Amino acid sequence: MTKKELKIVFFGTPEFAVASLDKLVMGGYNVAAVVTMPDKPAGRGQQILQSDIKKYAVAHNLPVLQPEKLKAEDFVDELRRINADLFIVIAFRMLPEVVWQMPKYGTFNLHASLLPKYRGAAPLNWAVINGDKETGVTTFFLKHEIDTGDIIQQKRITIEDSDNAGTVHDKLMTLGADMVIETVDAIIAGTVTTIPQDQLCKGATPTPAPKIFKETCHIDWNNPAEKIHNLVRGLSPYPAAWSTFEKDGKEHQLKIFETAITGMQANGAKPGAVKTDKNNIYVACSDNYLQILSLQQSGKKRMDSSAFLRGSSLADALLK
């Protein structure tokens, strides 16, 4: 079978999946249809937004399916009529068994971690939040339990001290797109070998990577500076770590995008206590001061600390 003959249905939603779909389309692979989330209203004007994958598919004249329910009879019947040989899933919802078992060559997923580490919705964020020095991408065949299928391929990258969730996202997106092509080529050639994840666990419990909620992003200044620094990195630029402070009897929220470890001891200062000079903001943590380099007050634009201090005073504030 050639890449023109292997009929593929691609499942995905965000920008992360677009790079892989583009590699398939530009490489001349037979993408018979694309499945993505339904359009939804968002923002103050409730404008209807299309997923990044839908925008790409429409621009390249690919048939688009947008089921509300993945078990719906009409959707399942439509997939059957396509009669695809392979399904590829990237950053999409959990597929029901009736769907992922359908194609002749199975369904594989591209996951942004080195499985079995970081099973779940936010693998690259948690790798940075936890201070890991490396991460990667994995392709694996789907089975009933989420992110547990047999591994096809893995590739690794180093997480640099200067990296945040955004830069790691972009590196893994590119690396993953290349590996999707390699995985499809191996399926076409009949050379795929897989490794059960249990063999890699070696008795250890797989690391979870749960969905990021607003409370996940709240900074606890009672933690050490390095732990807070990694939290900020792992949530930047989106959804962003946050804290609050009180001014003129009102509580204000601050999103914090970039910090630096100073090594300056807090010397008993209350965690969250702020000290500033003309250009710099320092916040006491349980051990040292953490320097805030980039932040955004609610209702205002993101700016560096010196620009922020020209328009707002944090002197003697306590971040909570």
Side-chain angles (χ1 to χ4, degrees), residues 32-259:
V34 169
V35 183
T36 192
M37 65 184 288
D39 300 345
K40 61 180 182 180
R44 289 182 182 176
Q46 291 293 284
Q47 290 185 323
I48 301 299
L49 294 185
Q50 299 178 346
S51 72
D52 292 325
I53 281 291
K54 180 177 179 181
K55 290 174 187 173
Y56 181 92
V58 169
H60 291 82
N61 299 312
L62 299 172
V64 179
L65 307 179
Q66 295 180 275
E68 290 282 352
K69 296 181 179 178
L70 297 175
K71 289 184 179 179
E73 247 181 80
D74 57 346
F75 170 63
V76 173
D77 288 345
E78 196 164 4
L79 280 181
R80 287 199 179 104
R81 283 194 294 273
I82 293 170
N83 194 29
D85 302 297
L86 177 70
F87 290 169
I88 299 173
V89 183
I90 304 175
F92 194 65
R93 292 138 63 190
M94 185 176 177
L95 296 186
E97 192 167 344
V98 67
V99 172
W100 60 258
Q101 278 199 339
M102 197 180 293
K104 175 182 177 181
Y105 293 105
T107 300
F108 80 79
N109 176 249
L110 173 71
H111 188 74
S113 83
L114 298 170
L115 289 172
K117 199 167 189 181
Y118 297 121
R119 290 176 179 170
L124 69 87
N125 299 92
W126 285 107
V128 182
I129 289 169
N130 290 337
D132 290 4
K133 297 302 182 186
E134 72 167 7
T135 187
V137 284
T138 303
T139 51
F140 67 95
F141 284 116
L142 261 62
K143 59 190 252 186
H144 185 67
E145 297 83 6
I146 193 164
D147 296 340
T148 61
D150 292 353
I151 289 171
I152 307 167
Q153 283 186 276
Q154 288 189 327
K155 290 191 175 186
R156 299 170 182 267
I157 62 162
T158 299
I159 300 176
E160 306 291 348
D161 291 343
S162 57
D163 276 326
N164 61 19
T167 58
V168 171
H169 168 280
D170 292 350
K171 291 177 186 179
L172 294 184
M173 180 173 64
T174 302
L175 189 69
D178 291 338
M179 199 168 71
V180 163
I181 297 300
E182 291 176 17
T183 299
V184 172
D185 287 347
I187 289 169
I188 291 169
T191 58
V192 169
T193 58
T194 59
I195 303 171
Q197 289 192 39
D198 289 347
Q199 286 187 21
L200 298 176
C201 287
K202 298 176 182 176
T205 303
T207 319
K211 187 176 179 179
I212 302 288
F213 294 98
K214 185 175 181 180
E215 271 311 303
T216 315
C217 307
H218 183 221
I219 297 172
D220 181 355
W221 297 102
N222 291 290
N223 284 317
E226 185 174 5
K227 184 171 182 178
I228 296 171
H229 175 66
N230 287 336
L231 178 73
V232 170
R233 292 170 61 220
L235 298 170
S236 181
Y238 181 83
W242 62 276
S243 188
T244 60
F245 71 99
E246 206 170 284
K247 183 180 178 184
D248 301 328
K250 292 182 180 179
E251 188 171 81
H252 301 266
Q253 183 173 301
L254 283 178
K255 286 185 175 181
I256 298 174
F257 298 96
E258 191 178 1
T259 56

